[in-house]
Amino acid sequence: MQGASLYDRILGHRPNEALRKLCVRTAIVGFLLHLMLCLLYQLSLIDFSSQTSKLFDSYLDALYTPFSIFLAYEVYELIRSIPDSFTDSIGKQFEIITLLVVRDILKRLSDIDASVSSTVDESITILAVECMAFLILFCTALFFSRAKREKSSIANDSEELERFISQKKQLAILLLALYILTAIYSLSTWTYNVFEGDGTTNRTIFFLDFFT
């Protein structure tokens, strides 16, 4: 039961509520800071390398920061849902993928220059495909969310079930530790690359390493 008590301290309801509030506040602050950097860049008050400037050449880029913060919180929620049920964890994975697609759509919108051409080029086609993918993923996430609400809460006090849930809580604690280490590695590597002038952003950052 030591694993279960540790789970309650770091993945229980109270730490989750505290982390959720921190996530919302951090997302707001991050959005405002990113928006301010975009404004300074547009006014030519600051300058970046050709690669890093892609993070600040449009005001829509400012949405990338809060979405990334919410994605990090959703991964935490995914780890929390492991002891609950298989349906919950699958639903959380669809929510994460949906947020990834939305973030990519917003980034692609910020990279499109409407003044260059009004024809339908490759970037518009990819954007349309991503929008369709978002609708499909969003509907799927809603389906799993509805299944979670309608799930019957049948009490089962068998010792074998309690042992199984305790093992899943221990697994969640282990995954949380791996999550933190992977996040620190990805963030430090990306930050170093930004200072080196390579500020590219894509869905492979962190998420490819973590889900692998």
Side-chain angles (χ1 to χ4, degrees):
M1 291 301 169
Q2 183 177 0
S5 60
L6 180 60
Y7 174 89
D8 292 334
R9 287 199 297 268
I10 62 178
L11 289 164
H13 177 72
R14 292 184 62 182
N16 180 45
E17 287 298 317
L19 186 61
R20 180 181 301 173
K21 293 178 181 178
L22 177 63
C23 174
V24 173
R25 293 170 183 170
T26 306
I28 294 174
V29 173
F31 170 73
L32 294 177
L33 288 175
H34 198 156
L35 189 64
M36 182 180 67
L37 289 174
C38 291
L39 177 62
L40 294 175
Y41 178 77
Q42 295 293 335
L43 296 175
S44 301
L45 296 178
I46 55 176
D47 192 22
F48 300 100
S49 66
S50 58
Q51 288 292 331
T52 308
S53 62
K54 295 179 180 179
L55 292 170
F56 308 100
D57 56 2
S58 172
Y59 294 114
L60 283 174
D61 289 329
L63 294 172
Y64 195 90
T65 297
F67 265 91
S68 298
I69 294 173
F70 289 137
L71 275 167
Y73 174 73
E74 282 296 322
V75 175
Y76 171 82
E77 283 276 276
L78 170 62
I79 296 174
R80 285 190 72 248
S81 66
I82 290 176
D84 295 336
S85 72
F86 181 74
T87 303
D88 294 347
S89 61
I90 292 296
K92 278 296 175 185
Q93 292 184 55
F94 272 104
E95 290 179 13
I96 292 172
I97 297 172
T98 304
L99 282 175
L100 279 170
V101 172
V102 172
R103 190 180 67 168
D104 283 356
I105 289 174
L106 293 173
K107 188 67 180 73
R108 197 174 297 278
L109 279 173
S110 66
D111 293 336
I112 294 176
D113 189 354
S115 62
V116 174
S117 174
S118 59
T119 59
V120 178
D121 57 5
E122 183 181 357
S123 60
I124 299 296
T125 304
I126 296 176
L127 181 62
V129 172
E130 286 188 329
C131 289
M132 289 297 299
F134 161 72
L135 291 176
I136 296 173
L137 290 169
F138 181 72
C139 292
T140 306
L142 285 180
F143 170 78
F144 278 99
S145 178
R146 181 178 179 182
K148 176 183 177 181
R149 290 195 301 268
E150 294 179 352
K151 182 178 60 178
S152 58
S153 55
I154 302 176
N156 193 331
D157 299 329
S158 66
E159 183 177 346
E160 183 178 354
L161 178 62
E162 290 183 1
R163 189 183 306 113
F164 178 60
I165 294 176
S166 178
Q167 290 173 349
K168 290 203 294 183
K169 287 183 176 181
Q170 293 173 4
L171 175 62
I173 294 172
L174 175 62
L175 280 177
L176 179 64
L178 292 175
Y179 169 48
I180 294 174
L181 292 175
T182 307
I184 293 174
Y185 169 77
S186 296
L187 182 60
S188 59
T189 303
W190 180 81
T191 304
Y192 174 78
N193 290 333
V194 168
F195 282 109
E196 290 295 313
D198 183 16
T200 57
T201 55
N202 54 65
R203 70 183 65 181
T204 62
I205 299 174
F206 169 76
F207 292 97
L208 180 63
D209 296 332
F210 178 76
F211 281 103
T212 299

